[in-house]
Amino acid sequence: MAFPIRAYSMANPPLAEKITEDPVTNKTAQSTVTCGYQTHIAGYLRNVTVLWCKNLMNHSLSIMINSLEGDYHYSCKVDLKPWHFWSKKGYKSLDVEGNQVEIYWDLRSAKFSGGPEPCGDFYVALVWEEEVVLLLGDYKKKAYKRTKARPALVEALKYYKKENVFAKKSFGTRAKFDERKREHDIVVESSTLGPKDPEMWISIDGIVLVHVRNLQWKFRGNQTVLVDKQPVQVFWDVHDWLFSTPGTGHGLFIFKPNAPEISESEGSSQGGGDSDNSNGSKYHSSRNSSRSNTAPEFCLFLYAWKIE
């Protein structure tokens, strides 16, 4: 049975770049989650960006596949509004530089925990030549059954997550610092109003790992914490929380797992703030090349927008 879909492809660099930039202001209050993946398509490692957006009027999913040179994007957008139930299961085929990439999704039963990205009961699958090169969600069996495709020989690698969160005092997100381990709950809380000096707390899985007093003097900083015995660097910049007009600025938090010493000596670190701007040619590789020499490190970016 064919499902009508409200999806379309586009290969327009300015528009794709505009989407990737996550245009967010205090006026739109648009919550977004952007994830970058390194996938193996047509014999090359390509960057795939998955963007979930939600505001008062719209809720959408966008998938962008970089060209090898990184200057061109092939995109598919799906509307997830409650009254568009028919669009929550669908299929789209994209021609990516002469290669047919098929996108399947089923979000009819998807569960959300307040943010734009579903937390369970869904799947989104990218297929190339009967291989599932990228699979999101926990409905993996259903995805393989519907696509009639096999798991990819080279698994996709998630190398960054960027989230915009709007709240008054508490900002939460979830992330894996190691794909082989469990996902962690990350919460940033602050007290910037009142007679007392401003303070900030950063907790992971309910345990406060960073506590900053006198935040007006320490609005920028960094600290290394241990998560499951793994060192994670935490960076923060909350200048706008304290010194900008309320509701007009955001706090930035970056969580970056420390690279093993051998990786540092090989200069393999390619994560960090430049993750959004990395291009496909950076990870250009032959099918038989080793990913260990090109894989970027994971990095989490949390943009915390205070609302009054």
Side-chain angles (χ1 to χ4, degrees):
M1 176 179 178
F3 291 86
I5 57 175
R6 186 178 178 182
Y8 54 90
S9 63
M10 54 190 174
N12 188 317
L15 181 56
E17 289 169 6
K18 183 179 179 182
I19 293 174
T20 309
E21 286 172 1
D22 292 353
V24 175
T25 68
N26 64 313
K27 294 182 180 180
T28 60
Q30 178 168 264
S31 298
T32 66
V33 174
T34 309
C35 296
Y37 299 87
Q38 190 184 86
T39 60
H40 200 279
I41 300 174
Y44 295 92
L45 294 178
R46 296 175 184 263
N47 289 349
V48 174
T49 303
V50 177
L51 171 62
W52 304 87
C53 292
K54 185 179 182 181
N55 56 34
L56 290 175
M57 295 299 297
N58 298 298
H59 191 183
S60 65
L61 161 66
S62 297
I63 300 174
M64 291 150 278
I65 305 174
N66 274 23
S67 65
L68 288 178
E69 297 302 321
D71 57 350
Y72 215 59
H73 300 77
Y74 304 86
S75 304
C76 172
K77 184 177 181 180
V78 183
D79 286 321
L80 302 178
K81 298 176 184 177
W83 53 90
H84 284 158
F85 181 81
W86 49 264
S87 72
K88 295 184 179 181
K89 181 177 181 179
Y91 160 85
K92 182 68 181 180
S93 179
L94 297 179
D95 187 310
V96 180
E97 296 179 315
N99 300 284
Q100 290 299 119
V101 178
E102 299 169 317
I103 303 174
Y104 298 83
W105 64 89
D106 188 348
L107 297 153
R108 294 173 299 173
S109 303
K111 294 180 180 177
F112 295 86
S113 58
E117 181 184 27
C119 57
D121 296 353
F122 78 102
Y123 69 77
V124 178
L126 270 67
V127 177
W128 170 73
E129 287 196 351
E130 299 182 348
E131 278 192 1
V132 179
V133 296
L134 176 63
L135 179 56
L136 309 179
D138 54 348
Y139 276 4
K140 299 185 184 300
K141 290 184 178 180
K142 291 185 178 181
Y144 285 118
K145 181 179 180 180
R146 183 181 176 204
T147 61
K148 299 179 181 179
R150 62 186 181 278
L153 296 176
V154 180
E155 291 186 7
L157 178 67
K158 186 176 184 178
Y159 66 93
Y160 82 88
K161 178 179 180 179
K162 182 172 68 172
E163 183 163 4
N164 285 277
V165 178
F166 291 79
K168 291 185 177 181
K169 294 183 178 180
S170 181
F171 307 86
T173 185
R174 296 176 63 86
K176 282 185 178 182
F177 297 121
D178 187 330
E179 284 300 319
R180 298 166 296 180
K181 298 182 180 179
R182 64 188 176 96
E183 195 172 46
H184 299 282
D185 288 305
I186 301 168
V187 178
V188 176
E189 296 179 284
S190 66
S191 176
T192 56
L193 300 176
K196 295 183 179 180
D197 288 335
E199 295 182 74
M200 181 180 70
W201 301 263
I202 301 175
S203 62
I204 298 180
D205 296 330
I207 301 173
V208 176
L209 299 180
V210 177
H211 182 196
V212 183
R213 297 182 176 89
N214 300 313
L215 194 59
Q216 71 273 32
W217 306 113
K218 304 174 184 178
F219 51 84
R220 293 190 183 100
N222 66 85
Q223 184 174 327
T224 299
V225 301
L226 289 178
V227 180
D228 287 344
K229 300 181 181 180
Q230 176 186 16
V232 176
Q233 298 177 38
V234 181
F235 304 86
W236 66 87
D237 182 348
V238 295
H239 174 276
D240 288 354
W241 279 3
L242 302 165
F243 305 111
S244 296
T245 303
T248 62
H250 64 265
L252 172 61
F253 300 86
I254 302 175
F255 300 82
K256 183 174 177 59
N258 279 358
E261 292 184 4
I262 184 172
S263 296
E264 292 177 356
S265 64
E266 293 174 354
S268 63
S269 177
Q270 297 172 356
D274 293 334
S275 294
D276 272 323
N277 300 319
S278 58
N279 57 43
S281 60
K282 190 174 190 177
Y283 309 118
H284 178 248
S285 168
S286 66
R287 185 176 182 87
N288 296 322
S289 65
S290 173
R291 167 171 268 171
S292 61
N293 293 326
T294 61
E297 298 167 7
F298 176 78
C299 201
L300 168 66
F301 302 87
L302 173 62
Y303 293 82
W305 298 78
K306 277 184 174 290
I307 56 178
E308 299 301 317

